[in-house]
PDB file of all heavy atoms in Angstrom:
ATOM      1  N   LEU A 347       0.826  -1.204   0.000  1.00  0.00           N
ATOM      2  CA  LEU A 347       0.000   0.000   0.000  1.00  0.00           C
ATOM      3  C   LEU A 347       0.860   1.253   0.000  1.00  0.00           C
ATOM      4  O   LEU A 347       1.726   1.433   0.858  1.00  0.00           O
ATOM      5  CB  LEU A 347      -0.910  -0.003   1.226  1.00  0.00           C
ATOM      6  CG  LEU A 347      -1.824   1.205   1.416  1.00  0.00           C
ATOM      7  CD1 LEU A 347      -2.819   1.314   0.271  1.00  0.00           C
ATOM      8  CD2 LEU A 347      -2.546   1.102   2.757  1.00  0.00           C
ATOM      9  N   CYS A 348       0.609   2.133  -0.947  1.00  0.00           N
ATOM     10  CA  CYS A 348       1.344   3.401  -1.008  1.00  0.00           C
ATOM     11  C   CYS A 348       0.881   4.299   0.138  1.00  0.00           C
ATOM     12  O   CYS A 348      -0.319   4.566   0.272  1.00  0.00           O
ATOM     13  CB  CYS A 348       1.101   4.091  -2.353  1.00  0.00           C
ATOM     14  SG  CYS A 348       2.135   5.552  -2.603  1.00  0.00           S
ATOM     15  N   PRO A 349       1.801   4.797   0.971  1.00  0.00           N
ATOM     16  CA  PRO A 349       1.395   5.553   2.166  1.00  0.00           C
ATOM     17  C   PRO A 349       1.139   7.032   1.927  1.00  0.00           C
ATOM     18  O   PRO A 349       0.811   7.752   2.877  1.00  0.00           O
ATOM     19  CB  PRO A 349       2.592   5.361   3.099  1.00  0.00           C
ATOM     20  CG  PRO A 349       3.769   5.250   2.173  1.00  0.00           C
ATOM     21  CD  PRO A 349       3.253   4.533   0.946  1.00  0.00           C
ATOM     22  N   TYR A 350       1.299   7.509   0.710  1.00  0.00           N
ATOM     23  CA  TYR A 350       1.097   8.922   0.432  1.00  0.00           C
ATOM     24  C   TYR A 350       0.245   9.075  -0.829  1.00  0.00           C
ATOM     25  O   TYR A 350       0.115   8.148  -1.628  1.00  0.00           O
ATOM     26  CB  TYR A 350       2.437   9.646   0.248  1.00  0.00           C
ATOM     27  CG  TYR A 350       3.380   8.965  -0.719  1.00  0.00           C
ATOM     28  CD1 TYR A 350       3.265   9.152  -2.095  1.00  0.00           C
ATOM     29  CD2 TYR A 350       4.363   8.097  -0.252  1.00  0.00           C
ATOM     30  CE1 TYR A 350       4.108   8.505  -2.985  1.00  0.00           C
ATOM     31  CE2 TYR A 350       5.221   7.445  -1.133  1.00  0.00           C
ATOM     32  CZ  TYR A 350       5.091   7.649  -2.500  1.00  0.00           C
ATOM     33  OH  TYR A 350       5.926   7.003  -3.376  1.00  0.00           O
ATOM     34  N   LYS A 351      -0.337  10.256  -1.027  1.00  0.00           N
ATOM     35  CA  LYS A 351      -1.177  10.526  -2.194  1.00  0.00           C
ATOM     36  C   LYS A 351      -0.283  10.797  -3.398  1.00  0.00           C
ATOM     37  O   LYS A 351       0.649  11.588  -3.330  1.00  0.00           O
ATOM     38  CB  LYS A 351      -2.079  11.738  -1.924  1.00  0.00           C
ATOM     39  CG  LYS A 351      -3.117  11.984  -3.019  1.00  0.00           C
ATOM     40  CD  LYS A 351      -4.255  10.999  -2.917  1.00  0.00           C
ATOM     41  CE  LYS A 351      -5.372  11.332  -3.920  1.00  0.00           C
ATOM     42  NZ  LYS A 351      -5.027  10.999  -5.322  1.00  0.00           N
ATOM     43  N   THR A 352      -0.575  10.120  -4.485  1.00  0.00           N
ATOM     44  CA  THR A 352       0.229  10.276  -5.687  1.00  0.00           C
ATOM     45  C   THR A 352      -0.634  10.001  -6.913  1.00  0.00           C
ATOM     46  O   THR A 352      -1.723   9.421  -6.811  1.00  0.00           O
ATOM     47  CB  THR A 352       1.427   9.309  -5.669  1.00  0.00           C
ATOM     48  OG1 THR A 352       2.266   9.569  -6.807  1.00  0.00           O
ATOM     49  CG2 THR A 352       0.978   7.853  -5.700  1.00  0.00           C
ATOM     50  N   SER A 353      -0.134  10.416  -8.065  1.00  0.00           N
ATOM     51  CA  SER A 353      -0.838  10.107  -9.307  1.00  0.00           C
ATOM     52  C   SER A 353      -0.489   8.721  -9.815  1.00  0.00           C
ATOM     53  O   SER A 353      -1.275   8.093 -10.532  1.00  0.00           O
ATOM     54  CB  SER A 353      -0.491  11.148 -10.384  1.00  0.00           C
ATOM     55  OG  SER A 353       0.908  11.152 -10.634  1.00  0.00           O
ATOM     56  N   TYR A 354       0.695   8.234  -9.453  1.00  0.00           N
ATOM     57  CA  TYR A 354       1.134   6.895  -9.840  1.00  0.00           C
ATOM     58  C   TYR A 354       2.294   6.516  -8.922  1.00  0.00           C
ATOM     59  O   TYR A 354       3.247   7.279  -8.780  1.00  0.00           O
ATOM     60  CB  TYR A 354       1.597   6.876 -11.304  1.00  0.00           C
ATOM     61  CG  TYR A 354       1.876   5.487 -11.858  1.00  0.00           C
ATOM     62  CD1 TYR A 354       0.812   4.663 -12.233  1.00  0.00           C
ATOM     63  CD2 TYR A 354       3.175   5.026 -12.007  1.00  0.00           C
ATOM     64  CE1 TYR A 354       1.058   3.402 -12.746  1.00  0.00           C
ATOM     65  CE2 TYR A 354       3.423   3.763 -12.525  1.00  0.00           C
ATOM     66  CZ  TYR A 354       2.360   2.951 -12.894  1.00  0.00           C
ATOM     67  OH  TYR A 354       2.597   1.693 -13.402  1.00  0.00           O
ATOM     68  N   PRO A 355       2.228   5.366  -8.261  1.00  0.00           N
ATOM     69  CA  PRO A 355       3.258   5.029  -7.279  1.00  0.00           C
ATOM     70  C   PRO A 355       4.565   4.591  -7.934  1.00  0.00           C
ATOM     71  O   PRO A 355       4.582   4.135  -9.077  1.00  0.00           O
ATOM     72  CB  PRO A 355       2.626   3.877  -6.498  1.00  0.00           C
ATOM     73  CG  PRO A 355       1.681   3.235  -7.472  1.00  0.00           C
ATOM     74  CD  PRO A 355       1.167   4.350  -8.339  1.00  0.00           C
ATOM     75  N   ASN A 356       5.650   4.735  -7.179  1.00  0.00           N
ATOM     76  CA  ASN A 356       6.916   4.210  -7.675  1.00  0.00           C
ATOM     77  C   ASN A 356       6.946   2.688  -7.503  1.00  0.00           C
ATOM     78  O   ASN A 356       5.955   2.083  -7.099  1.00  0.00           O
ATOM     79  CB  ASN A 356       8.105   4.897  -6.975  1.00  0.00           C
ATOM     80  CG  ASN A 356       8.132   4.629  -5.473  1.00  0.00           C
ATOM     81  OD1 ASN A 356       7.619   3.632  -4.977  1.00  0.00           O
ATOM     82  ND2 ASN A 356       8.752   5.545  -4.739  1.00  0.00           N
ATOM     83  N   ASP A 357       8.085   2.081  -7.797  1.00  0.00           N
ATOM     84  CA  ASP A 357       8.139   0.621  -7.858  1.00  0.00           C
ATOM     85  C   ASP A 357       8.122  -0.066  -6.495  1.00  0.00           C
ATOM     86  O   ASP A 357       8.222  -1.297  -6.422  1.00  0.00           O
ATOM     87  CB  ASP A 357       9.378   0.179  -8.641  1.00  0.00           C
ATOM     88  CG  ASP A 357       9.283   0.526 -10.109  1.00  0.00           C
ATOM     89  OD1 ASP A 357       8.149   0.709 -10.593  1.00  0.00           O
ATOM     90  OD2 ASP A 357      10.338   0.613 -10.779  1.00  0.00           O
ATOM     91  N   ASP A 358       7.956   0.700  -5.432  1.00  0.00           N
ATOM     92  CA  ASP A 358       7.819   0.103  -4.101  1.00  0.00           C
ATOM     93  C   ASP A 358       6.369  -0.251  -3.766  1.00  0.00           C
ATOM     94  O   ASP A 358       6.138  -1.007  -2.813  1.00  0.00           O
ATOM     95  CB  ASP A 358       8.337   1.072  -3.035  1.00  0.00           C
ATOM     96  CG  ASP A 358       9.835   1.304  -3.120  1.00  0.00           C
ATOM     97  OD1 ASP A 358      10.551   0.382  -3.567  1.00  0.00           O
ATOM     98  OD2 ASP A 358      10.284   2.406  -2.772  1.00  0.00           O
ATOM     99  N   TYR A 359       5.411   0.290  -4.542  1.00  0.00           N
ATOM    100  CA  TYR A 359       4.006   0.164  -4.152  1.00  0.00           C
ATOM    101  C   TYR A 359       3.124  -0.217  -5.337  1.00  0.00           C
ATOM    102  O   TYR A 359       3.334   0.262  -6.455  1.00  0.00           O
ATOM    103  CB  TYR A 359       3.513   1.481  -3.537  1.00  0.00           C
ATOM    104  CG  TYR A 359       4.375   1.966  -2.402  1.00  0.00           C
ATOM    105  CD1 TYR A 359       5.179   3.096  -2.543  1.00  0.00           C
ATOM    106  CD2 TYR A 359       4.412   1.283  -1.192  1.00  0.00           C
ATOM    107  CE1 TYR A 359       5.989   3.544  -1.507  1.00  0.00           C
ATOM    108  CE2 TYR A 359       5.221   1.718  -0.144  1.00  0.00           C
ATOM    109  CZ  TYR A 359       6.000   2.840  -0.312  1.00  0.00           C
ATOM    110  OH  TYR A 359       6.808   3.266   0.715  1.00  0.00           O
ATOM    111  N   TYR A 360       2.082  -1.050  -5.034  1.00  0.00           N
ATOM    112  CA  TYR A 360       1.214  -1.544  -6.101  1.00  0.00           C
ATOM    113  C   TYR A 360      -0.272  -1.492  -5.764  1.00  0.00           C
ATOM    114  O   TYR A 360      -1.090  -2.021  -6.496  1.00  0.00           O
ATOM    115  CB  TYR A 360       1.641  -2.969  -6.488  1.00  0.00           C
ATOM    116  CG  TYR A 360       2.999  -2.957  -7.147  1.00  0.00           C
ATOM    117  CD1 TYR A 360       4.156  -3.116  -6.395  1.00  0.00           C
ATOM    118  CD2 TYR A 360       3.125  -2.701  -8.504  1.00  0.00           C
ATOM    119  CE1 TYR A 360       5.407  -3.056  -6.988  1.00  0.00           C
ATOM    120  CE2 TYR A 360       4.370  -2.652  -9.109  1.00  0.00           C
ATOM    121  CZ  TYR A 360       5.499  -2.825  -8.345  1.00  0.00           C
ATOM    122  OH  TYR A 360       6.736  -2.746  -8.952  1.00  0.00           O
ATOM    123  N   LEU A 361      -0.618  -0.850  -4.657  1.00  0.00           N
ATOM    124  CA  LEU A 361      -2.018  -0.569  -4.318  1.00  0.00           C
ATOM    125  C   LEU A 361      -2.057   0.869  -3.822  1.00  0.00           C
ATOM    126  O   LEU A 361      -1.287   1.247  -2.939  1.00  0.00           O
ATOM    127  CB  LEU A 361      -2.519  -1.523  -3.230  1.00  0.00           C
ATOM    128  CG  LEU A 361      -3.966  -1.306  -2.742  1.00  0.00           C
ATOM    129  CD1 LEU A 361      -4.973  -1.587  -3.859  1.00  0.00           C
ATOM    130  CD2 LEU A 361      -4.267  -2.179  -1.524  1.00  0.00           C
ATOM    131  N   TYR A 362      -2.965   1.683  -4.392  1.00  0.00           N
ATOM    132  CA  TYR A 362      -2.967   3.099  -4.027  1.00  0.00           C
ATOM    133  C   TYR A 362      -4.324   3.736  -4.322  1.00  0.00           C
ATOM    134  O   TYR A 362      -5.180   3.118  -4.968  1.00  0.00           O
ATOM    135  CB  TYR A 362      -1.852   3.843  -4.751  1.00  0.00           C
ATOM    136  CG  TYR A 362      -2.067   4.086  -6.237  1.00  0.00           C
ATOM    137  CD1 TYR A 362      -2.188   5.376  -6.746  1.00  0.00           C
ATOM    138  CD2 TYR A 362      -2.125   3.023  -7.143  1.00  0.00           C
ATOM    139  CE1 TYR A 362      -2.373   5.609  -8.109  1.00  0.00           C
ATOM    140  CE2 TYR A 362      -2.293   3.245  -8.505  1.00  0.00           C
ATOM    141  CZ  TYR A 362      -2.420   4.533  -8.977  1.00  0.00           C
ATOM    142  OH  TYR A 362      -2.604   4.761 -10.320  1.00  0.00           O
ATOM    143  N   TYR A 363      -4.493   4.954  -3.821  1.00  0.00           N
ATOM    144  CA  TYR A 363      -5.693   5.739  -4.124  1.00  0.00           C
ATOM    145  C   TYR A 363      -5.535   6.282  -5.547  1.00  0.00           C
ATOM    146  O   TYR A 363      -4.861   7.282  -5.763  1.00  0.00           O
ATOM    147  CB  TYR A 363      -5.848   6.887  -3.127  1.00  0.00           C
ATOM    148  CG  TYR A 363      -6.307   6.478  -1.754  1.00  0.00           C
ATOM    149  CD1 TYR A 363      -5.382   6.168  -0.760  1.00  0.00           C
ATOM    150  CD2 TYR A 363      -7.661   6.406  -1.450  1.00  0.00           C
ATOM    151  CE1 TYR A 363      -5.799   5.787   0.518  1.00  0.00           C
ATOM    152  CE2 TYR A 363      -8.087   6.028  -0.182  1.00  0.00           C
ATOM    153  CZ  TYR A 363      -7.152   5.729   0.796  1.00  0.00           C
ATOM    154  OH  TYR A 363      -7.577   5.355   2.052  1.00  0.00           O
ATOM    155  N   SER A 364      -6.182   5.636  -6.494  1.00  0.00           N
ATOM    156  CA  SER A 364      -5.954   5.988  -7.895  1.00  0.00           C
ATOM    157  C   SER A 364      -6.961   6.987  -8.443  1.00  0.00           C
ATOM    158  O   SER A 364      -6.860   7.394  -9.601  1.00  0.00           O
ATOM    159  CB  SER A 364      -5.976   4.723  -8.766  1.00  0.00           C
ATOM    160  OG  SER A 364      -7.252   4.107  -8.739  1.00  0.00           O
ATOM    161  N   GLY A 365      -7.915   7.397  -7.624  1.00  0.00           N
ATOM    162  CA  GLY A 365      -8.904   8.372  -8.067  1.00  0.00           C
ATOM    163  C   GLY A 365      -9.018   9.519  -7.085  1.00  0.00           C
ATOM    164  O   GLY A 365      -8.034   9.960  -6.488  1.00  0.00           O
ATOM    165  N   SER A 366     -10.239   9.999  -6.904  1.00  0.00           N
ATOM    166  CA  SER A 366     -10.508  11.124  -5.995  1.00  0.00           C
ATOM    167  C   SER A 366     -11.166  10.653  -4.702  1.00  0.00           C
ATOM    168  O   SER A 366     -11.869  11.411  -4.046  1.00  0.00           O
ATOM    169  CB  SER A 366     -11.419  12.150  -6.686  1.00  0.00           C
ATOM    170  OG  SER A 366     -10.788  12.732  -7.799  1.00  0.00           O
ATOM    171  N   GLU A 367     -10.916   9.399  -4.325  1.00  0.00           N
ATOM    172  CA  GLU A 367     -11.590   8.844  -3.155  1.00  0.00           C
ATOM    173  C   GLU A 367     -11.328   9.650  -1.885  1.00  0.00           C
ATOM    174  O   GLU A 367     -12.211   9.794  -1.038  1.00  0.00           O
ATOM    175  CB  GLU A 367     -11.142   7.386  -2.927  1.00  0.00           C
ATOM    176  CG  GLU A 367     -11.427   6.457  -4.081  1.00  0.00           C
ATOM    177  CD  GLU A 367     -10.284   6.439  -5.094  1.00  0.00           C
ATOM    178  OE1 GLU A 367      -9.318   7.227  -4.949  1.00  0.00           O
ATOM    179  OE2 GLU A 367     -10.363   5.629  -6.026  1.00  0.00           O
ATOM    180  N   ALA A 368     -10.082  10.156  -1.721  1.00  0.00           N
ATOM    181  CA  ALA A 368      -9.715  10.865  -0.493  1.00  0.00           C
ATOM    182  C   ALA A 368      -9.963  12.363  -0.568  1.00  0.00           C
ATOM    183  O   ALA A 368      -9.702  13.079   0.393  1.00  0.00           O
ATOM    184  CB  ALA A 368      -8.245  10.612  -0.165  1.00  0.00           C
ATOM    185  N   SER A 369     -10.491  12.845  -1.688  1.00  0.00           N
ATOM    186  CA  SER A 369     -10.779  14.274  -1.833  1.00  0.00           C
ATOM    187  C   SER A 369     -12.059  14.630  -1.084  1.00  0.00           C
ATOM    188  O   SER A 369     -12.759  13.764  -0.553  1.00  0.00           O
ATOM    189  CB  SER A 369     -10.946  14.618  -3.313  1.00  0.00           C
ATOM    190  OG  SER A 369     -12.165  14.065  -3.806  1.00  0.00           O
ATOM    191  N   GLY A 370     -12.362  15.917  -1.078  1.00  0.00           N
ATOM    192  CA  GLY A 370     -13.613  16.324  -0.459  1.00  0.00           C
ATOM    193  C   GLY A 370     -14.811  15.691  -1.124  1.00  0.00           C
ATOM    194  O   GLY A 370     -15.744  15.234  -0.458  1.00  0.00           O
ATOM    195  N   MET A 371     -14.810  15.653  -2.461  1.00  0.00           N
ATOM    196  CA  MET A 371     -15.911  15.021  -3.188  1.00  0.00           C
ATOM    197  C   MET A 371     -16.022  13.546  -2.843  1.00  0.00           C
ATOM    198  O   MET A 371     -17.114  13.036  -2.578  1.00  0.00           O
ATOM    199  CB  MET A 371     -15.694  15.183  -4.692  1.00  0.00           C
ATOM    200  CG  MET A 371     -16.761  14.511  -5.565  1.00  0.00           C
ATOM    201  SD  MET A 371     -16.498  12.728  -5.892  1.00  0.00           S
ATOM    202  CE  MET A 371     -15.187  12.804  -7.104  1.00  0.00           C
ATOM    203  N   GLY A 372     -14.885  12.842  -2.829  1.00  0.00           N
ATOM    204  CA  GLY A 372     -14.916  11.409  -2.553  1.00  0.00           C
ATOM    205  C   GLY A 372     -15.384  11.089  -1.157  1.00  0.00           C
ATOM    206  O   GLY A 372     -16.173  10.165  -0.947  1.00  0.00           O
ATOM    207  N   ARG A 373     -14.916  11.846  -0.187  1.00  0.00           N
ATOM    208  CA  ARG A 373     -15.294  11.594   1.203  1.00  0.00           C
ATOM    209  C   ARG A 373     -16.762  11.902   1.468  1.00  0.00           C
ATOM    210  O   ARG A 373     -17.379  11.277   2.334  1.00  0.00           O
ATOM    211  CB  ARG A 373     -14.419  12.422   2.138  1.00  0.00           C
ATOM    212  CG  ARG A 373     -12.967  12.004   2.094  1.00  0.00           C
ATOM    213  CD  ARG A 373     -12.115  12.826   3.036  1.00  0.00           C
ATOM    214  NE  ARG A 373     -10.716  12.497   2.858  1.00  0.00           N
ATOM    215  CZ  ARG A 373      -9.781  12.670   3.791  1.00  0.00           C
ATOM    216  NH1 ARG A 373     -10.116  13.168   4.970  1.00  0.00           N
ATOM    217  NH2 ARG A 373      -8.529  12.350   3.547  1.00  0.00           N
ATOM    218  N   ALA A 374     -17.296  12.856   0.731  1.00  0.00           N
ATOM    219  CA  ALA A 374     -18.717  13.150   0.900  1.00  0.00           C
ATOM    220  C   ALA A 374     -19.583  11.988   0.415  1.00  0.00           C
ATOM    221  O   ALA A 374     -20.714  11.821   0.871  1.00  0.00           O
ATOM    222  CB  ALA A 374     -19.078  14.423   0.139  1.00  0.00           C
ATOM    223  N   ALA A 375     -19.038  11.185  -0.503  1.00  0.00           N
ATOM    224  CA  ALA A 375     -19.816  10.068  -1.060  1.00  0.00           C
ATOM    225  C   ALA A 375     -19.701   8.820  -0.206  1.00  0.00           C
ATOM    226  O   ALA A 375     -20.694   8.112   0.012  1.00  0.00           O
ATOM    227  CB  ALA A 375     -19.342   9.771  -2.483  1.00  0.00           C
TER     228      ALA A 375
END
C-alpha cells in the first residue's frame, strides 16, 4: 500500500488511491 497521495506510485508500491476517493468530493460520497 502506497502511504502517500500520488498520481502513480513508484516501484515500491502496487495498491494506491488511484482516483478522488480521499478528496472532499470522494469523502462526501
Side-chain angles (χ1 to χ4, degrees):
L347 178 63
C348 188
Y350 50 82
K351 187 76 174 74
T352 185
S353 60
Y354 189 77
N356 63 25
D357 292 338
D358 293 331
Y359 306 110
Y360 292 92
L361 178 65
Y362 73 116
Y363 286 91
S364 64
S366 296
E367 301 88 355
S369 71
M371 178 276 284
R373 294 181 186 204

